[in-house]
Amino acid sequence: MTVKATTGRVTRRRVRTRANLLDAAFAVFAAKGFGRVSIEEVCEAAGYSRGAFYSNFDSLDELFFALYRQRAELIAEQVSTALASDGPDLDVPAAVARVTEVLLLDGDWLLVKTDFLVHAARDPEVAGVLLEHRARLRRAIADRLARARGHTAPPTVLGDAEGAAHAVVAAYDGVTTQLLLDRDVEHARVWLGQLLTALLTDGGARP
């Protein structure tokens, strides 16, 4: 019993340490840029030693992917939940309205993600991991579109559900790039809704 209790305390402590490191890293990345941050700066911001860092992460890249996984899973959940609300019949304009209402559009996260995209573009190994994370989001969207039995089908030019999912992610990327510059979240939501509706229908319906 004593061993189990001690193990539980250690496990909870490690989970808390990892979460604190992630929170601190996000704040430092957003303030200074991913490529300008050292492990020491993350540790200082979190109030931990390098030993605490290396007991949780092998590198800043690994730490970033943990951050990215959090955001990607949140976005995938938001999209899947919004698309699932119609049951088997997918009302695309209504689903788009729900997606754009709840979708994560955080300026600091977009700054961090953009910095890391530039880093990944120069490192094929990092790029490969990042591409897989993005593919998971597309698969979540494509799966829901493929299972929908509603009357609204994606335009044939997009091909199958996977092609439509690629278009959805590309639209999100484009809108968030503009959002980085103008910081107009409300306009970004409206514009994203218009793009997604046009992509996933004949463009005649509006969210």
Side-chain angles (χ1 to χ4, degrees):
M1 290 296 294
T2 302
V3 173
K4 290 182 179 178
T6 301
T7 302
R9 286 197 298 272
V10 171
T11 300
R12 288 194 295 271
R13 186 184 307 121
R14 181 167 184 173
V15 169
R16 185 166 57 250
T17 298
R18 182 182 176 89
N20 289 340
L21 284 167
L22 288 170
D23 289 343
F26 178 76
V28 177
F29 289 163
K32 300 188 65 174
F34 176 83
R36 299 179 178 87
V37 174
S38 66
I39 290 174
E40 288 77 10
E41 287 173 302
V42 173
C43 292
E44 182 179 355
Y48 293 120
S49 66
R50 286 175 61 92
F53 180 94
Y54 284 114
S55 70
N56 287 277
F57 305 103
D58 290 334
S59 65
L60 286 176
D61 284 358
E62 183 182 341
L63 183 151
F64 174 83
F65 280 122
L67 279 173
Y68 189 90
R69 189 177 301 111
Q70 284 181 344
R71 298 318 194 273
E73 289 177 355
L74 173 59
I75 292 171
E77 181 181 356
Q78 290 172 330
V79 171
S80 296
T81 299
L83 294 179
S85 297
D86 294 319
D89 295 322
L90 181 62
D91 181 343
V92 170
V96 165
R98 291 193 299 270
V99 168
T100 55
E101 182 180 356
V102 302
L103 193 62
L104 177 67
L105 293 174
D106 178 72
D108 285 344
W109 168 241
L110 296 177
L111 280 172
V112 173
K113 186 180 75 168
T114 301
D115 281 339
F116 196 76
L117 283 171
V118 174
H119 169 63
R122 294 187 172 94
D123 187 325
E125 183 177 353
V126 176
V129 179
L130 189 56
L131 285 170
E132 174 54 30
H133 279 286
R134 288 169 61 83
R136 291 178 190 171
L137 175 60
R138 290 197 305 271
R139 286 196 293 269
I141 298 170
D143 178 67
R144 180 62 185 100
L145 293 174
R147 289 186 292 107
R149 298 199 301 268
H151 66 279
T152 304
T156 55
V157 68
L158 295 179
D160 56 12
E162 185 174 344
H166 270 273
V168 167
V169 175
Y172 175 78
D173 286 343
V175 169
T176 53
T177 297
Q178 179 67 26
L179 178 59
L180 273 173
L181 301 176
D182 62 27
R183 296 284 180 149
D184 188 344
V185 175
E186 291 308 311
H187 182 264
R189 292 192 189 282
V190 172
W191 182 227
L192 182 60
Q194 293 171 343
L195 280 177
L196 294 182
T197 301
L199 283 169
L200 297 176
T201 69
D202 62 4
R206 295 181 182 275

